[in-house]
Amino acid sequence: MSACAPTRATDSSRMKRIHRPHSPPPSGPRRFRIAGADVSASIAVFLIALPLSLGIALATGAPLQAGLVAAAVGGLVAGWLGGSPLQVSGPAAGLTVVTADLIHRYGWRTTCAITVLAGVVQLGLGCLRVARTALAVSPAIVHGMLAGIGVTIAVAQLHIVLGGTPQSSVLANLRALPAQLAGLDPAAVSVSALTLALLLLWPRIPGRVGGLLRKVPAALVAVTGASAVAALAGLTLPEVDLPSWSSHALAGLPEGPVLGIVAAVLTTTLVCSVQSLLGAVAVDKMAAGRPGLTARVGRSNLDRELLGQGAANIVSGTLGGLPVAGVAVRSSANVHAGAVSRNSTMLHGVLVVIAALLMVPVLELIPLASLAALVMSVGIQMVSLHHIRTVTRHREVLVYAVTTLGVVLLGVLEGVVLGIAVAVAVALHRLARTRITHEEQEGVHHVHVRGQLTFLAVPRLSRALHLVPHGTHVVVELDGSFMDHAAYEALQDWQKTHTAQGGSVELTGRRAGVRIAEPGETAEPHAGSGTSTDSADPASAPAAATAAGCRCSPWTPWRNHQCEDPPSAPRSDADPRGSEDSGTADGAGPSRTSGHELARGISAFQRNTAPLVRGELARLAREGQTPSQLFLTCADSRLVTSMITSSGPGDLFVVRNVGNLVPLPGQESGDDSVAAAIEYAVDVLRVRSITVCGHSGCGAMQALLNSEPGGAQTPLKRWLRHGLPSLERMADDSRPWARLAGRAPADAVEQLCLTNVVQQLEHLRTHESVARALRERTLELHGMYFHVGEAQAYLLTEASSTEVFDQVTDADGLRSPA
């Protein structure tokens, strides 16, 4: 078998198949086609958008047609011109409070004019290419703003749910709530309760039947069910009233104080832009979870998205519609429903237009209480417990709380300004808050600096350093990520003075890579980590280097994550130990060296890394592991899974073996270790994907190619028999070769590495738990190849009858084959 495989790798005829000639340009214009996936996705989004658009219009106090106008314009204009093909725009719950306040202050026609002006500002910002700047706003402020808007919406809609009328502010709504509870309308409460029950229970219907029913949006089921029950029971309730389109109010000239109009335009622009841009980024993350989709639609162009949103707001405001922004609920439904282009978004806008013109009698059967319950549930969901936990973990809960309360009590713009002010104050406090301590342990003085070392901390640093007696050994631990020039000079000057008086200085911690110059030298801070030791006494240098000579740290250049030992002193010819046994004398051999390296690495983890991850690991210890994927790869020491996948604790369930092999189940050759890991990951941990990752220069694949029949059956040979199907697959002329996009495999070993990934994915599909999850569409399989020498990852895409590994670029997208 090994005799034929290597010669196959040099077959020029097969290698030519890997290099496809450039295709000629198309001979004629392409016909416009809409993919079936886009049609089905547009229907799903339309069924969600229709009731939500009416509900949001009701919550703002605008004409109900305004919600339909905004939904149609968002789908057609923003969908066509926007830079995020899969994002669905329309009237957003995040704009409800702003729009309601504008209508209350200036009236509907002026509000439409403000929407137009906000669109013009968005066009200007898009032309200036400042879209990325909006993402610089702290997530705690954005989430706090949305939470405050959600609270305001929920409290206002609660009055309609109870059969009353909302007031103009949150405080007024809260004050009027006791009277509203005393005089509630039983019919409105019943319809609202039924709507909320259907919203809550419909997504939780179990079994295969539930899976089919859940394809119908819960919002549509809730509103339809409540409307049907109200009609059959003969309940007398206020219902949707859609006047004739001939009487629909369009935008007029803005009327009101200039400063008030300017503030309203800026507020609308801010909320629309931030919500749309953050939504576009979220859509990119969702699209990345669908194999091959990012390569087809590309990543969002945020500046173009801002231009598209601006154009949509101009058109919507001119036609008498609500402000338009990207909507997370509809965008998520669009991606998960299988949309593959912007055609789904535009087609959903067409369906909204058809419904607005032809379905008016049906829409007027919907009780207002049902729409209010729907919007109230959306407002409650905007107060996300996940976001609260996230900002708490990052110690930004104060910014979140102040922003939320500011939006609730003062308004959106005022709340955001308050949040920004508190965020700046917190950042300055953290920058200025530095704890410096001094203590002596066994004759060694320790100066510990916790926090950022800036000019504000220089006086305290100087006081602590001058407590150290002359001529002593000092360990300065810098437990921070920033040191400004003033602090650097203060530390450098003290170090020169201390070493000149016979002392020695050792720097440790995260800023230990900053080299402090020796007397007579000049040095500048440079990036790095590890330990830097400087001493004026040459005799003390070897000891100091031995104690703290390691400059290695995760994710910095290193050599096998070890450091060369300092050169030993020259040995005289009279040394009784000679040279043959000097490596193992007195237990100072390789075992002691490796043990020392291990202990030093663990010590560095406990000192530098453990304080940073302790909180997250404590959470994982309490809640248990919930990894998103099983990552099966080779045991090669050059593959650091957390590094090449940018993952952390709790993200990956990793299985490693020689050759990243997946033995077939249910046979004598099966391997319970790998099979048990697969079953546990799929059935217990409920991972959503499994990745088989091969790599260049794999020793197992080299051993397969060089193996000879017969001979002693060592454990390694017995294990590698699970890779024989990969060797047979590569030798099969009837099957296409797995290949890299844009170039041929370098040699037979690389070809076998690629083929092995494809073959092991087939083995994976034969495991019962995997096959069942694939049938239920709760699991995805991915192939990956990592080129060690190039530090380049490739993902497997199945194109027609070939297996192509596409290169992953630094823009988080797949680069098309050359």
Side-chain angles (χ1 to χ4, degrees), residues 358-377:
L358 303 180
M359 294 178 59
V360 172
V362 177
L363 297 178
E364 290 184 335
L365 296 176
I366 301 176
L368 296 182
S370 179
L371 291 179
L374 175 64
V375 177
M376 185 178 74
S377 70

Side-chain angles (χ1 to χ4, degrees), residues 780-792:
E780 294 180 349
L781 302 184
H782 304 287
M784 178 177 169
Y785 177 75
F786 185 74
H787 194 289
V788 177
E790 298 174 356
Q792 178 62 58

Side-chain angles (χ1 to χ4, degrees), residues 75-392:
L76 292 171
V77 179
W80 179 37
L81 300 176
S84 181
L86 301 184
Q87 176 162 248
V88 182
S89 300
L95 291 161
T96 302
V97 175
V98 176
T99 309
D101 183 61
L102 295 180
I103 295 173
H104 176 73
R105 290 188 181 187
Y106 304 111
W108 172 241
R109 293 172 66 87
T110 299
T111 300
C112 292
I114 290 173
T115 302
V116 173
L117 294 175
V120 172
V121 176
Q122 285 181 302
L123 286 180
L125 295 176
C127 293
L128 294 175
R129 299 184 177 276
V130 297
R132 290 275 174 191
T133 307
L135 301 182
V137 180
S138 169
I141 297 175
V142 176
H143 298 324
M145 177 188 73
L146 295 177
I149 293 172
V151 170
T152 305
I153 292 173
V155 173
Q157 296 309 298
L158 180 60
H159 283 269
I160 302 179
V161 166
L162 298 176
T165 303
Q167 306 299 314
S168 59
S169 67
V170 176
L171 294 178
N173 281 321
L174 292 176
R175 285 194 295 266
L177 193 57
Q180 186 65 62
L181 290 172
L184 55 83
D185 184 349
V189 172
S190 301
V191 170
S192 301
L194 177 60
T195 303
L196 293 174
L198 289 173
L199 283 172
L200 180 65
L201 299 177
W202 188 260
R204 292 171 171 78
I205 300 177
R208 182 173 300 179
V209 175
L212 295 174
L213 293 177
R214 286 195 297 270
K215 293 183 178 180
V216 182
L220 179 67
V221 172
V223 173
T224 303
S227 302
V229 169
L232 294 175
L235 299 178
T236 303
L237 288 170
E239 295 175 338
V240 169
D241 181 18
L242 293 174
S244 172
W245 284 102
S246 60
S247 61
H248 179 63
L250 304 179
L253 294 176
E255 297 178 359
V258 175
L259 292 179
I261 297 295
V262 171
V265 171
L266 293 179
T267 303
T268 305
T269 303
L270 171 68
V271 179
C272 287
S273 301
V274 171
Q275 183 165 344
S276 299
L277 295 176
L278 293 178
V281 174
V283 167
D284 283 346
K285 294 179 181 179
M286 288 186 285
R290 285 176 50 190
L293 182 60
T294 304
R296 180 165 183 172
V297 302
R299 297 191 69 197
S300 297
N301 183 330
L302 297 185
D303 292 309
R304 178 179 172 181
E305 179 65 18
L306 202 54
L307 291 172
Q309 295 292 334
N313 274 314
I314 292 174
V315 176
S316 180
T318 303
L319 297 179
L322 292 171
V324 171
V327 186
V329 176
R330 299 174 213 179
S331 301
S332 176
N334 192 38
V335 174
H336 292 141
V340 295
S341 72
R342 64 177 71 245
N343 292 334
S344 63
T345 302
M346 298 172 63
L347 187 56
H348 124 271
V350 173
L351 295 177
V352 172
V353 173
I354 295 174
L357 296 177
L358 303 180
M359 294 178 59
V360 172
V362 177
L363 297 178
E364 290 184 335
L365 296 176
I366 301 176
L368 296 182
S370 179
L371 291 179
L374 175 64
V375 177
M376 185 178 74
S377 70
V378 173
I380 294 173
Q381 292 171 10
M382 292 173 71
V383 186
S384 171
L385 293 179
H386 171 70
H387 291 158
I388 294 175
R389 286 194 294 266
T390 301
V391 298
T392 302

Side-chain angles (χ1 to χ4, degrees), residues 547-558:
C550 180
R551 298 176 184 269
C552 296
S553 182
W555 325 140
T556 58
W558 71 91

Side-chain angles (χ1 to χ4, degrees), residues 546 560-566 582-601:
T546 302
N560 291 341
H561 208 315
Q562 299 174 8
C563 286
E564 296 179 356
D565 291 333
S582 59
T584 57
D586 299 326
S591 61
R592 180 177 178 181
T593 302
S594 61
H596 176 66
E597 295 295 341
L598 176 63
R600 187 162 60 185

Side-chain angles (χ1 to χ4, degrees), residues 427-776:
L428 291 176
H429 173 71
R430 290 176 179 173
L431 191 63
R433 183 184 179 186
T434 306
R435 183 182 178 189
I436 303 174
T437 59
H438 166 260
E439 61 180 351
E440 180 183 358
Q441 296 178 356
E442 299 178 356
V444 178
H445 292 261
H446 295 265
V447 177
H448 192 178
V449 180
R450 298 177 178 87
Q452 317 312 318
L453 197 52
T454 67
F455 67 94
L456 298 174
V458 168
R460 283 175 290 154
L461 176 65
S462 298
R463 284 195 296 269
L465 294 176
H466 282 83
L467 294 176
V468 178
H470 298 164
T472 58
H473 179 62
V474 186
V475 177
V476 180
E477 185 171 353
L478 306 176
D479 187 12
S481 60
F482 176 76
M483 179 193 299
D484 70 3
H485 193 258
Y488 169 78
E489 284 195 343
L491 191 58
Q492 182 189 35
D493 293 342
W494 171 84
Q495 190 258 354
K496 288 179 180 179
T497 303
H498 188 74
T499 53
Q501 295 171 344
S504 60
V505 179
E506 176 185 337
L507 298 181
T508 65
R510 279 186 284 177
R511 293 298 303 173
V514 177
R515 182 173 180 270
I516 305 298
E518 294 287 348
E521 295 180 352
T522 58
E524 292 296 330
H526 64 276
S529 58
T531 303
S532 177
T533 304
D534 299 279
S535 174
D537 184 4
S540 65
T546 302
C550 180
R551 298 176 184 269
C552 296
S553 182
W555 325 140
T556 58
W558 71 91
R559 184 174 181 180
N560 291 341
H561 208 315
Q562 299 174 8
C563 286
E564 296 179 356
D565 291 333
S568 58
R571 182 171 292 130
S572 67
D573 294 339
D575 192 328
R577 292 178 296 175
S579 59
E580 295 183 0
D581 61 345
S582 59
T584 57
D586 299 326
S591 61
R592 180 177 178 181
T593 302
S594 61
H596 176 66
E597 295 295 341
L598 176 63
R600 187 162 60 185
I602 296 173
S603 176
F605 165 80
Q606 293 297 151
R607 180 177 63 251
N608 300 328
T609 309
L612 304 178
V613 300
R614 186 170 288 119
E616 178 66 10
L617 291 179
R619 182 189 67 81
L620 290 172
R622 293 191 307 269
E623 302 176 3
Q625 60 169 330
T626 56
S628 60
Q629 64 173 296
L630 165 62
F631 197 86
L632 196 152
T633 189
C634 185
D636 193 292
S637 62
R638 296 167 294 180
L639 261 67
V640 184
T641 57
S642 60
M643 181 173 66
I644 64 178
T645 60
S646 298
S647 56
D651 291 338
L652 300 181
F653 187 70
V654 181
V655 175
R656 306 186 71 152
N657 60 53
V658 177
N660 48 275
L661 301 178
V662 181
L664 290 167
Q667 298 180 2
E668 181 273 333
S669 63
D671 179 87
D672 287 342
S673 173
V674 178
I678 293 171
E679 180 182 349
Y680 184 78
V682 176
D683 292 342
V684 179
L685 298 179
R686 303 288 184 182
V687 296
R688 298 188 295 274
S689 68
I690 301 179
T691 300
V692 176
C693 177
H695 67 97
S696 61
C698 182
M701 298 300 104
Q702 182 68 58
L704 270 177
L705 285 174
N706 296 335
S707 63
E708 297 290 344
Q713 288 297 308
T714 64
L716 179 59
K717 285 187 176 181
R718 286 196 297 271
W719 170 254
L720 289 181
R721 73 185 186 275
H722 301 303
L724 293 178
S726 301
L727 201 59
E728 296 168 357
R729 184 188 189 99
M730 193 176 79
D732 188 353
D733 290 330
S734 64
R735 291 188 172 186
W737 272 10
R739 63 185 179 87
L740 297 175
R743 71 170 179 87
D747 50 27
V749 175
E750 185 168 54
Q751 181 62 69
L752 184 55
C753 292
L754 298 171
T755 305
N756 183 56
V757 172
V758 178
Q759 184 64 36
Q760 300 312 313
L761 286 173
E762 290 194 4
H763 289 186
L764 201 56
R765 293 185 178 94
T766 63
H767 285 256
E768 180 182 354
S769 56
V770 174
R772 182 176 60 255
L774 290 175
R775 288 194 302 269
E776 297 174 353

